[in-house]
Amino acid sequence: MRAFDDIKNAKHIVIQTDNLSFANANALYSYVLTLHKKVSLVAIEQIDEKFSFLPWFTRVRETVPKQADCIIEAKPDATELYFALKQEGVSINPKMATALFGALLEFTQGFSNAKCTGTAFAVAAELIELKADQFTCKEFLQRREPLSLFRLKSILYKKMLQSDNAQVMNMYVSDEDLKSSGARLKDAEEIMKEVLKTVHVKEVRLYKSDENNKILKSIKEI
């Protein structure tokens, strides 16, 4: 693959990506780091939060650095990249394996579309042997949320209040909220993780509004 020759001859590599190719771009990013070269991950669109489990999600930038001397466009086909890496003799570490498995899962829509061939299953098996975190990939890329959770989100979002210069988000839940939505208190705690991603928010607190605003749980940005 010519891209590998370009990478070897460059000093600062840019990996350009979108949502379709983002998981593969993570694998490439890890590979370039093993070469001890400067590398930047540039997205041409906003990357979906479902990819936040990937190792370099937080490294994404919007513009190409001026000093970059090589731009590689990531492709969505995980099997193609996997075999190219093997042909180059690259030692695939767990981070790369997880990114490639995620790319394979996304590319084949959970091993269910026409792109899912016997080769895809064979590559998936090899990636698992290479310590790909298949369960995390499936959790983030194939998770399905029940209607009760959406109902509870609607209720809690309307009552949220920020404090401490917008760094703390205060959420309030009652027994009536849980009953009307059909959700559980555990669901409210899961919603807290999503709210923690709000701009400026570094802590989320969950209060029981029908019990004198007793604090039930608090989570902080790591």
Side-chain angles (χ1 to χ4, degrees):
M1 185 180 283
R2 181 179 173 181
F4 288 100
D5 293 331
D6 293 340
I7 289 172
K8 290 173 184 176
N9 294 325
K11 294 182 179 179
H12 185 166
I13 299 95
V14 164
I15 301 171
Q16 204 163 52
T17 185
D18 56 13
N19 280 290
L20 289 176
S21 63
F22 186 68
N24 270 344
N26 270 255
L28 276 173
Y29 190 99
S30 292
Y31 161 65
V32 177
L33 286 179
T34 66
L35 302 177
H36 305 290
K37 290 178 178 283
K38 191 169 180 59
V39 56
S40 299
L41 193 57
V42 178
I44 61 174
E45 62 181 349
Q46 185 173 355
I47 301 301
D48 196 301
E49 284 288 334
K50 69 181 181 180
F51 295 110
S52 61
F53 71 97
L54 291 169
W56 311 117
F57 181 79
T58 58
R59 298 291 181 88
V60 175
R61 54 186 299 167
E62 297 178 353
T63 58
V64 175
K66 293 181 179 179
Q67 64 270 33
D69 56 349
C70 174
I71 298 178
I72 302 296
E73 185 178 341
K75 304 295 183 182
D77 190 340
T79 56
E80 181 181 347
L81 178 57
Y82 174 70
F83 288 123
L85 289 167
K86 284 188 68 175
Q87 187 174 354
E88 287 292 315
V90 176
S91 178
I92 297 177
N93 61 36
K95 282 186 178 180
M96 294 171 68
T98 297
L100 288 167
F101 191 93
L104 189 60
L105 200 63
E106 187 74 3
F107 189 61
T108 61
Q109 294 181 320
F111 303 105
S112 65
N113 63 18
K115 297 171 184 175
C116 184
T117 62
T119 301
F121 282 112
V123 169
E126 291 185 29
L127 290 172
I128 291 171
E129 287 293 320
L130 291 168
K131 309 299 183 186
D133 188 349
Q134 58 169 318
F135 299 109
T136 297
C137 290
K138 290 177 180 177
E139 178 188 353
F140 278 79
L141 299 179
Q142 294 186 296
R143 60 186 173 187
R144 297 291 183 268
E145 296 180 341
L147 180 57
S148 59
L149 186 61
F150 285 104
R151 287 172 176 156
L152 185 60
K153 283 183 181 181
S154 176
I155 294 170
L156 297 186
Y157 285 176
K158 288 178 182 178
K159 298 192 291 183
M160 290 192 305
L161 294 172
Q162 286 179 282
S163 60
D164 295 341
N165 294 321
Q167 293 186 35
V168 176
M169 186 72 82
N170 302 290
M171 299 175 62
Y172 302 86
V173 65
S174 68
D175 287 337
E176 180 56 33
D177 296 334
L178 299 175
K179 183 179 178 180
S180 63
S181 65
R184 304 164 298 168
L185 186 57
K186 184 178 179 180
D187 294 322
E189 294 176 353
E190 286 299 312
I191 294 170
M192 293 175 69
K193 298 176 184 177
E194 186 174 299
V195 174
L196 190 58
K197 299 174 184 176
T198 306
V199 175
H200 304 307
V201 172
K202 295 184 178 180
E203 181 181 2
V204 179
R205 298 170 184 168
L206 180 65
Y207 297 86
K208 196 70 160 45
S209 59
D210 53 355
E211 293 183 18
N212 296 317
N213 286 338
K214 178 179 72 175
I215 189 163
L216 299 175
K217 189 170 183 177
S218 173
I219 59 172
K220 296 182 179 181
E221 184 182 58
I222 298 176

